[in-house]
């Protein structure tokens, strides 16, 4: 369930009532329509926050544009997240505090030396977030995302790659489509970078306990 976060007083009330944590920062692509929980259409970039009620532990989602996101980041004193922008023309040049969006990965400072396989899995996870609207913030996808980010310099376990493959199958792949199929549809209206669409390093890990290949939905 999503939280209505319209208005500064409402956002302060949410932070008082919930533990609010940023979980994704995404570029909106051409042909996509997404709405903020502040009751407004999103036009460029957006954040997703996880909100856990301090008393009931109920988990809810906050999806919002950059103005509301800056307010939540200030209220919670959380660090901005790096933008996932798969487009060729990357506008992410400034830090969020200065009106931009890069946050902790601004420039080369604190740049992560990603393991190539971990980076491909991270990109796959972010693409699911970009494409699919029904992923809950307390779902296994976000748990895997957190682990992949924490151990970004190491190759992810096969179980996590298979877990993401299963999530794709149960969401994007319900009609037999793969993640790559869904990305290719977005390429009709977007100039997408090829290096964020390569999942070839993940395919060899898709095997069951007997060594039999599992169908890839990447």
């Amino acid at each position: 369930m999503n939280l209505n976060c319209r208005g500064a007083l409402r956002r302060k009330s949410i932070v008082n009532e919930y533990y609010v944590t940023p979980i994704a920062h995404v570029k909106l692509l051409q042909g996509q329509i997404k709405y903020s929980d502040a009751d407004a259409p999103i036009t460029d970039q957006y954040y997703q926050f996880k909100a856990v009620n301090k008393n009931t532990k109920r988990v809810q989602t906050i999806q919002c544009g950059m103005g509301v996101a800056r307010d939540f980041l200030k209220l919670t004193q959380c660090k901005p997240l790096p933008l996932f922008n798969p487009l060729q023309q990357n506008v992410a040049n400034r830090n969020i505090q200065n009106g931009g969006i890069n946050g902790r990965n601004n420039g080369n400072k604190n740049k992560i030396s990603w393991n190539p396989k971990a980076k491909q899995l991270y990109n796959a996870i972010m693409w699911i977030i970009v494409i699919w609207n029904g992923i809950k913030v307390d779902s296994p996808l976000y748990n895997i995302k957190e682990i992949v980010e924490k151990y970004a310099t190491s190759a992810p376990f096969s179980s996590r790659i298979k877990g993401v493959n299963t999530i794709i199958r149960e969401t994007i792949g319900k009609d037999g489509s793969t993640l790559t199929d869904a990305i290719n549809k977005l390429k009709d209206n977007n100039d997408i970078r090829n290096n964020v669409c390569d999942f070839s390093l993940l395919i060899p890990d898709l095997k069951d306990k007997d060594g039999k290949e599992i169908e890839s939905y990447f």
Side-chain angles (χ1 to χ4, degrees), residues 49-183:
F49 291 84
K50 179 179 181 179
V52 181
N53 188 285
K54 294 178 180 180
N55 294 318
T56 67
K57 307 304 179 185
R58 184 183 185 187
V59 179
Q60 295 187 255
T61 304
I62 299 170
Q63 181 167 284
C64 58
M66 292 307 299
V68 175
R70 291 187 184 97
D71 201 9
F72 274 122
L73 292 172
K74 182 178 179 180
L75 289 169
T76 60
Q77 297 185 328
C78 289
K79 292 181 179 180
L81 298 181
L83 174 72
F84 181 74
N85 182 358
L87 300 179
Q88 293 282 4
Q89 292 184 332
N90 189 348
V91 298
N93 295 320
R94 295 171 295 169
N95 190 283
I96 187 172
Q97 288 90 341
N98 296 321
I101 30 90
N102 253 357
R104 66 185 181 202
N105 280 356
N106 190 33
N108 291 321
K109 186 178 180 181
N110 300 324
K111 187 175 181 180
I112 298 172
S113 297
W114 279 87
N115 172 276
K117 187 181 290 188
K119 187 62 173 178
Q120 286 193 6
L121 186 59
Y122 171 81
N123 287 339
I125 291 168
M126 293 306 299
W127 272 116
I128 298 170
I129 295 171
V130 167
I131 294 167
W132 193 256
N133 291 322
I135 302 292
K136 297 181 180 179
V137 293
D138 56 347
S139 75
L141 180 72
Y142 286 99
N143 294 334
I144 296 172
K145 176 181 179 289
E146 183 178 356
I147 293 170
V148 171
E149 290 174 320
K150 183 176 181 179
Y151 300 103
T153 59
S154 302
F157 292 156
S158 296
S159 59
R160 291 178 184 129
I161 295 173
K162 288 186 282 190
V164 172
N165 189 63
T166 298
I167 292 168
I168 299 170
R169 185 191 70 202
E170 294 176 350
T171 54
I172 296 165
K174 283 184 177 181
D175 62 354
S177 298
T178 65
L179 181 59
T180 298
D181 292 334
I183 294 171

